[in-house]
């Protein structure tokens, strides 16, 4: 039989669980932000499908592609014949993508991308805990993770 988790490990997983649950329940209750759809989710999906980085080329594509990974399973319509695609105009292209071409799946698309962000946030929590523990000991690691888990900015 395996050894029981140390008390500190239980606190780490509990705090990460609280962070995750807060985010999970907020995903569906929040409206889309001004840049979330046109500059991140839709661009990420177009990058994954086409390998064409014309939409917002000044910003790195990795996180956008990470957010869009679940869309490969959802398979929303990506209409590359639109004028906004040819002109690399992100806002009208994303509006058409989300609210015209894929209106029935818009909420699922947005929530799936947000879930990927939540996973990334949980990994960041582990990094914060590990780094703080190395610098300040076990108590410092837990305190840092608690601040992170309950911080309204994350």
């Amino acid at each position: 039989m395996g050894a029981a988790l140390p008390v500190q490990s239980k606190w780490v997983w509990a705090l990460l669980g609280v962070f995750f649950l807060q985010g999970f329940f907020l995903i569906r209750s929040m409206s889309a932000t001004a840049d979330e759809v046109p500059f991140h989710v839709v661009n990420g999906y177009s990058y994954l499908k086409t390998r064409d980085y014309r939409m917002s080329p000044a910003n790195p594509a990795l996180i956008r592609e990470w957010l869009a990974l679940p869309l490969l399973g959802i398979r929303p319509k990506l209409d590359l014949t639109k004028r906004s695609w040819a002109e690399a105009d992100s806002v009208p292209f994303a509006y058409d993508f989300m609210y015209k071409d894929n209106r029935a799946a818009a909420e699922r698309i947005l929530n799936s991308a947000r879930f990927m962000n939540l996973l990334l946030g949980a990994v960041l929590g582990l990094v914060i805990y590990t780094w703080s523990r190395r610098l300040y000991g076990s108590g410092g690691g837990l305190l840092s993770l608690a601040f992170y888990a309950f911080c309204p900015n994350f």
Side-chain angles (χ1 to χ4, degrees):
M1 299 250 168
L5 281 174
V7 173
Q8 184 170 353
S9 293
K10 290 178 183 177
W11 277 108
V12 169
W13 291 113
L15 287 168
L16 287 173
V18 166
F19 172 83
F20 192 84
L21 285 174
Q22 290 177 91
F24 184 77
F25 288 116
L26 280 173
I27 283 174
R28 293 183 58 113
S29 67
M30 304 298 285
S31 62
T33 62
D35 64 344
E36 190 171 24
V37 172
F39 298 114
H40 301 300
V41 178
V42 177
N43 287 353
Y45 186 61
S46 72
Y47 298 163
L48 286 173
K49 293 295 284 185
T50 66
R51 287 290 170 223
D52 185 336
Y53 299 96
R54 71 179 68 199
M55 299 290 187
S56 301
N59 295 309
L62 180 62
I63 294 298
R64 293 171 180 192
E65 290 176 329
W66 168 258
L67 295 175
L69 279 176
L71 277 64
L72 295 175
I74 297 171
R75 296 182 179 199
K77 178 184 176 187
L78 184 65
D79 185 358
L80 302 177
T81 62
K82 295 184 182 297
R83 182 177 177 182
S84 55
W85 172 259
E87 295 176 354
D89 196 352
S90 288
V91 175
F93 182 75
Y95 178 82
D96 287 347
F97 175 89
M98 285 291 280
Y99 304 116
K100 289 184 180 176
D101 301 339
N102 298 291
R103 186 179 184 98
E107 187 175 342
R108 185 172 175 214
I109 290 168
L110 183 61
N111 291 343
S112 297
R114 286 176 169 178
F115 184 77
M116 296 301 285
N117 219 5
L118 182 58
L119 289 177
L120 200 56
V123 170
L124 178 60
L126 277 175
V127 169
I128 289 170
Y129 167 74
T130 303
W131 192 358
S132 293
R133 187 187 70 207
R134 286 184 185 165
L135 291 174
Y136 306 110
S138 299
L142 282 175
L143 184 63
S144 296
L145 180 57
F147 283 146
Y148 175 73
F150 293 106
C151 179
N153 295 316
F154 292 103

